Amino acid sequence: MPEIAIGALIGNGSVLFARRSSERRMHPDRWSLPGGHVEDGEDAETTLRRELLEEIGVTPQHWLLAGEFASESPPGASATFHVYHVDRWQGSPRLIGDEHTALRWFTAAEMECETELAPPQLAEMLLKLLRPKTNQKA
């Protein structure tokens, strides 16, 4: 099963999404996190660093694994996703190449209303990262 590493850049209570080009085979015209396929000889963290630099021109400085999940969406296109919470990076996110057509920061409320996130499992995981922790004991 292919492995994909993606980065959730989070700042000021928002997460950065990239709109996939209409030419993309998987999830065209959908909002997703920047990232890509783990290549031979790479681990997921190496892929994360390479893909964020290639796709949006940033170098992650601090990140943590937020979670992993397997996706079967769309049918016949299974993959394992490694999702990283990136809270420090160098550079300003910008579009590079033709994989994406737009970048946009989403708040938790905006993400809950967005119907074009891909893969669908991302929303729940990212909402947990954006929402303040409640009921914590001091």
Side-chain angles (χ1 to χ4, degrees):
M1 181 179 312
E3 292 186 69
I4 298 173
I6 52 180
L9 275 69
I10 295 180
N12 297 321
S14 298
V15 62
L16 183 68
F17 278 88
R19 185 145 184 112
R20 295 173 60 82
S21 163
S22 61
E23 304 299 316
R24 304 296 297 168
R25 187 172 61 89
M26 305 304 289
H27 306 293
D29 289 321
R30 298 276 180 176
W31 291 104
S32 190
L33 297 177
H37 287 87
V38 175
E39 295 180 357
D40 288 339
E42 283 185 332
D43 60 20
E45 290 187 16
T46 300
T47 299
L48 172 74
R49 292 190 305 270
R50 176 180 54 77
E51 289 284 347
L52 291 184
L53 186 59
E54 290 175 359
E55 291 186 5
I56 60 171
V58 301
T59 302
Q61 301 293 305
H62 183 262
W63 63 90
L64 294 170
L65 182 65
E68 299 174 337
F69 62 88
S71 176
E72 294 286 339
S73 173
S78 60
T80 299
F81 286 81
H82 306 273
V83 183
Y84 290 91
H85 172 190
V86 181
D87 60 1
R88 283 198 321 268
W89 58 89
Q90 185 176 24
S92 295
R94 66 190 188 282
L95 290 174
I96 297 175
D98 59 0
E99 288 189 42
H100 302 101
T101 59
L103 296 177
R104 180 177 160 204
W105 293 94
F106 282 80
T107 64
E110 291 168 329
M111 199 182 327
E112 286 180 310
C113 296
E114 181 59 55
T115 60
E116 296 184 349
L117 297 181
Q121 295 93 329
L122 275 180
E124 183 179 337
M125 184 180 293
L126 295 174
L127 287 169
K128 287 179 184 175
L129 292 175
L130 287 176
R131 288 202 176 108
K133 306 273 188 277
T134 57
N135 300 326
Q136 288 185 342
K137 295 183 180 178

